[in-house]
């Protein structure tokens, strides 16, 4: 039976939002709800009032010998793994068998545990296969980046280019130019500096496009230049680009993590030929 709750969230500017939310099943700490284009993790439920924080998760691989590999903290997206999710690293298949609500200095997150699935990798759906390889094949700088992010409780965002592929920057620019307001999620509006409560609605689209064009220009300059903000690693004849940052960095116009997250979320990097990569399980 559907239930209605009052969901309380706090945005990046510190403003509290209270919104009704109808759930098909009962909400509890650890539930994930989607509001204003963003996923929120339920921290507490009391008398129909739900306190939710930006949803994050961490994936741990538990090997048959008991050894565990703890993944980097990741921002939750609709395709994030949950209990029962199956994926593969190389020729090894895994299944998420447990999830629980944990907390760190930044707030609540979902701790997911995956164990070896000894079924045939060929039996997995294609869209569930991770483009992940054995840990010892990762470049040392990549291993160091995952470790650094893990120690600091930061998020790692990754995009990749296939072997021999070059970014189509013109296509990305055309994609941004063609955006319409209905295609832009509410969360991205705030990430691009729009204040929906005070800015005239007719100004929102231009403000978003201006921010995204600047993001693309700075992202391109960095990956073609000194890599001050965006790391690049050669991997299996292709290239991986990585940013490390916090939740707040996603709205920072001067943060490479913000450039990558905003451009990837809106689809501009996909238009340029980049593929978003989920590699939370690859840690030294």
């Amino acid at each position: 039976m559907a239930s209605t709750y009052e969901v309380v969230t706090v945005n990046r500017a510190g403003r509290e939002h209270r919104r009704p939310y109808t759930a098909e099943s009962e909400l509890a700490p650890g539930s994930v709800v989607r509001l204003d284009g963003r996923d929120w993790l339920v921290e507490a439920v009391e008398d129909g009032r739900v306190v939710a924080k930006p949803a994050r998760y961490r994936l741990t691989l538990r090997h048959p010998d008991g050894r565990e590999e703890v993944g980097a903290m990741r921002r939750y997206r609709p395709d994030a793994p949950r209990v029962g999710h199956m994926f593969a690293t190389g020729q090894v298949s895994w299944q998420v068998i447990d999830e629980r609500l944990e907390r760190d200095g930044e707030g609540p997150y979902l701790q997911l545990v995956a164990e070896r699935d000894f079924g045939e990798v060929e039996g997995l759906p294609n869209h569930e296969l991770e483009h992940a390889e054995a840990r010892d094949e990762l470049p040392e700088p990549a291993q160091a980046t995952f470790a650094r992010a893990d120690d600091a409780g930061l998020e790692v965002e990754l995009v990749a280019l296939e072997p021999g592929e070059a970014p189509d920057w013109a296509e990305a620019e055309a994609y941004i130019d063609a955006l319409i307001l209905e295609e832009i999620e509410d969360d991205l509006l705030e990430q691009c500096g729009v204040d929906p409560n005070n800015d005239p609605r007719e100004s929102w689209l231009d403000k978003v496009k201006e921010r995204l064009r600047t993001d693309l220009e700075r992202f391109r300059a960095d990956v073609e230049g000194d890599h001050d903000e965006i790391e690049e690693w050669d991997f299996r004849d292709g290239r991986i680009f990585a940013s490390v940052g916090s939740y707040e960095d996603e709205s920072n116009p001067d943060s490479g993590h913000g450039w990558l997250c905003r451009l990837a979320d809106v689809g501009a990097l996909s238009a340029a030929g980049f593929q978003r990569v989920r590699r939370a399980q690859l840690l030294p």
Side-chain angles (χ1 to χ4, degrees), residues 74-145:
R74 299 300 302 271
R75 181 163 56 103
Y76 192 93
R77 293 195 294 266
D79 60 353
R82 299 300 296 262
V83 169
H85 178 91
M86 301 178 71
F87 60 93
T89 58
Q91 295 301 308
V92 178
S93 58
W94 303 84
Q95 184 170 17
V96 178
I97 53 92
D98 184 42
E99 67 179 32
R100 58 183 180 272
L101 186 67
E102 299 283 359
R103 290 174 176 81
D104 61 11
E106 300 296 322
Y109 66 92
L110 280 178
Q111 175 65 56
L112 308 175
V113 178
E115 291 186 346
R116 285 282 302 273
D117 175 21
F118 292 94
E120 293 295 328
V121 173
E122 289 78 9
L124 295 175
N126 290 336
H127 69 278
E128 295 290 349
L129 294 179
E130 297 282 355
H131 297 291
E133 307 299 337
R135 174 171 55 107
D136 59 1
E137 294 182 358
L138 276 178
E140 289 185 7
Q143 297 186 31
T145 293

Side-chain angles (χ1 to χ4, degrees), residues 49-246:
R49 181 177 181 270
V50 172
V51 176
K53 300 294 178 62
R56 304 177 299 150
Y57 73 95
R58 187 194 297 273
L59 178 66
T60 294
L61 301 183
R62 182 180 293 160
H63 293 265
D65 61 3
R67 178 172 55 90
E68 292 189 346
E69 293 183 69
V70 180
M73 194 69 69
R74 299 300 302 271
R75 181 163 56 103
Y76 192 93
R77 293 195 294 266
D79 60 353
R82 299 300 296 262
V83 169
H85 178 91
M86 301 178 71
F87 60 93
T89 58
Q91 295 301 308
V92 178
S93 58
W94 303 84
Q95 184 170 17
V96 178
I97 53 92
D98 184 42
E99 67 179 32
R100 58 183 180 272
L101 186 67
E102 299 283 359
R103 290 174 176 81
D104 61 11
E106 300 296 322
Y109 66 92
L110 280 178
Q111 175 65 56
L112 308 175
V113 178
E115 291 186 346
R116 285 282 302 273
D117 175 21
F118 292 94
E120 293 295 328
V121 173
E122 289 78 9
L124 295 175
N126 290 336
H127 69 278
E128 295 290 349
L129 294 179
E130 297 282 355
H131 297 291
E133 307 299 337
R135 174 171 55 107
D136 59 1
E137 294 182 358
L138 276 178
E140 289 185 7
Q143 297 186 31
T145 293
F146 282 116
R148 173 168 56 89
D150 187 34
D151 290 342
L154 298 175
E155 299 172 355
V156 180
E157 287 293 332
L158 304 165
V159 293
L161 289 173
E162 294 292 336
E165 187 173 2
D168 189 339
W169 302 115
E171 186 64 27
E173 292 174 4
Y175 181 91
I176 293 173
D177 289 342
L179 284 171
I180 59 175
L181 191 59
E182 288 72 19
E183 296 172 324
I184 300 170
E185 295 184 337
D186 292 346
D187 190 59
L188 186 62
L189 288 173
E190 293 188 9
Q191 289 179 2
C192 290
V194 173
D195 183 348
N197 292 328
N198 296 299
D199 293 342
R201 184 178 177 85
E202 59 269 19
S203 71
W204 294 1
L205 184 59
D206 287 341
K207 197 166 188 175
V208 169
K209 288 185 176 183
E210 180 180 359
R211 174 63 57 82
L212 293 174
R213 291 187 188 106
T214 301
D215 288 343
L216 184 64
E217 179 182 346
R218 300 181 73 177
F219 179 84
R220 177 180 181 178
D222 196 77
V223 301
E224 292 181 345
D226 296 331
H227 294 285
D228 293 329
E229 293 284 335
I230 307 296
E231 299 184 40
E232 179 180 345
W233 314 315
D234 292 329
F235 186 73
R236 287 271 169 137
D237 298 324
R239 290 186 289 165
I240 295 178
F241 301 84
S243 69
V244 177
S246 66

